[in-house]
Amino acid sequence: MAKNYCTLSGDKPLIIAHRGASGLRPEHTLAAYQLAIDMGADYIEPDLVITQDGHLVARHDRYLSTTTNVSDLPEFADRKTEKPGHKGADWFVEDFTLAELKTLKARQPREGRLKRFDDNYDIPTFDEVLALAQEMSEQRGRRIGVYPETKHPTALEALGLSFDDALLSSLENHGYGTGNDPVFIQSFETGNLKRLKEKTSVRLVFLTEDVPTMSFEDIAKFASGVGPYKILLSDDELNSTGFIEKAHAAGLEVHPWTFRDDQPDARFPNKIKEARHYFDLGIDGGFFDFPDTGIAALKGYGCETSLE
Ligand code: G3P
Ligand code: CA
């Protein structure tokens, strides 16, 4: 059996816990991140938005109705509002102070997933996520990384909320600032990544839903990796599209999203075969809602052995 991996470095692909172990706990809660760490994930992924008083918190969206109990709380009824770019009225993180936000409880937003942990956990700050990763790294004797995504940074900067400063000062306060630290900052916004590149040596990852219009060589000028929608990497017959080869040739790691046990890809007989297909293609990491699936797929795996 081959011993090496098909990654750019030859090291094991990273298992990134997408919104924590979000398939099994309400996403972006310390409980979801903790479960992912217990499963053996290499990185935990907080999506970040910012409160009215400038604190970064872990939420996928600026609106709160789908992932919290805010609609049940009469004290915040008058905070419901309409905003440009959002369909219908909702409650928005940037209209709450951190103290107010901390009174909300998280809920599972996706149909068919466990609801029994709803209303148990609060919304964590980015600082709390970093503290958890560091405490667990020490306790478990392995480096548990953090993979923050900046959500709507440019729009929030326009509202006077300084996203970059809050992000970088939290990282600095926890001792992160170099390319060797177990941190990747990810964004769909090239402008945000280019700004960050001027301010930090932490590794940056460019997220993309489509084949990028700019060259991988140009992406490599401001990022060390690219995070594509996984479907861009192989065709219907499971042949490589060449995305990974081109990215690797430019020195970029490739970390696709999102592997979901409960959203199977019909091209594969099971979730392990799906993950191993992407490992064979050469991904350097992957975002998993159920990180134990990624861990299981790596057991006994070596590059291009999955079909043996
Ligand atoms: O960050 C990778 C992936 O999470 C991007 O999609 O929408 O789940 O944040 P989203
Ligand atoms: Ca994300």
Side-chain angles (χ1 to χ4, degrees):
M1 178 182 287
K3 289 197 177 120
N4 293 327
Y5 298 96
C6 313
T7 52
L8 184 60
S9 65
D11 294 339
K12 182 182 80 63
L14 298 174
I15 303 303
I16 304 153
H18 184 245
R19 313 183 193 179
S22 57
L24 296 159
R25 296 289 182 278
E27 65 185 41
H28 293 313
T29 58
L30 291 183
Y33 300 130
Q34 180 70 61
L35 180 58
I37 292 165
D38 293 344
M39 287 173 166
D42 299 298
Y43 278 74
I44 52 176
E45 190 229 7
D47 294 314
L48 297 177
V49 291
I50 196 163
T51 65
Q52 190 179 60
D53 49 349
H55 296 274
L56 290 175
V57 294
R59 286 292 90 189
H60 182 263
D61 302 295
R62 287 162 67 193
Y63 58 89
L64 291 159
S65 61
T66 54
T67 63
T68 73
N69 64 344
V70 68
S71 62
D72 290 347
L73 303 178
E75 63 272 33
F76 298 125
D78 63 354
R79 221 63 75 84
K80 190 175 185 182
T81 186
E82 292 190 16
K83 298 220 177 189
H86 184 80
K87 199 172 163 205
D90 212 302
W91 293 260
F92 292 86
V93 171
E94 67 268 20
D95 296 335
F96 288 73
T97 64
L98 178 61
E100 289 172 334
L101 211 61
K102 278 288 187 185
T103 67
L104 309 186
K105 296 294 179 196
R107 288 182 177 171
Q108 172 58 257
R110 290 178 78 91
E111 286 298 315
R113 291 187 176 175
L114 288 177
K115 298 286 288 174
R116 72 185 159 92
F117 296 101
D118 283 8
D119 297 350
N120 281 325
Y121 312 117
D122 67 11
I123 296 175
T125 62
F126 184 39
D127 288 323
E128 289 172 325
V129 179
L130 293 170
L132 176 72
Q134 293 193 324
E135 188 190 326
M136 286 297 115
S137 297
E138 203 166 309
Q139 194 186 102
R140 305 293 161 91
R142 66 182 181 93
R143 288 205 331 171
I144 295 154
V146 183
Y147 206 126
E149 180 182 348
T150 62
K151 288 289 188 191
H152 322 291
T154 305
L156 291 167
E157 294 263 352
L159 295 175
L161 297 163
S162 187
F163 204 105
D164 295 1
D165 291 349
L167 174 67
L168 297 179
S169 71
S170 280
L171 288 172
E172 267 170 40
N173 290 341
H174 285 84
Y176 298 120
T178 77
N180 293 321
D181 295 326
V183 177
F184 291 93
I185 301 173
Q186 41 163 342
S187 182
F188 282 101
E189 294 187 11
T190 53
N192 183 227
L193 292 169
K194 287 176 181 173
R195 276 200 313 273
L196 287 167
K197 174 80 178 164
E198 301 297 312
K199 300 179 188 172
T200 181
S201 301
V202 163
R203 291 168 295 176
L204 305 175
V205 171
F206 172 51
L207 299 174
T208 181
E209 217 163 343
D210 300 302
V211 175
T213 50
M214 73 182 91
S215 71
F216 288 106
E217 286 68 26
D218 280 343
I219 295 171
K221 290 176 186 159
F222 60 86
S224 64
V226 57
Y229 180 32
K230 65 183 181 184
I231 296 305
L232 301 178
L233 306 184
S234 56
D235 64 20
D236 290 348
E237 278 73 46
L238 304 182
N239 298 308
S240 169
T241 58
F243 187 112
I244 295 176
E245 290 84 345
K246 286 182 218 152
H248 280 180
L252 292 163
E253 291 194 22
V254 180
H255 299 167
W257 40 272
T258 303
F259 294 89
R260 293 186 159 120
D261 289 10
D262 51 3
Q263 205 172 299
D265 180 333
R267 296 181 300 167
F268 304 101
N270 60 54
K271 60 194 181 182
I272 300 294
K273 290 275 186 193
E274 180 191 3
R276 287 184 166 194
H277 164 69
Y278 287 95
F279 296 152
D280 280 348
L281 286 174
I283 65 169
D284 304 280
F287 290 82
F288 289 80
D289 280 9
F290 299 79
D292 50 341
T293 293
I295 303 286
L298 280 172
K299 284 223 166 72
Y301 173 83
C303 188
E304 289 172 352
T305 62
S306 64
L307 298 178
E308 288 172 10

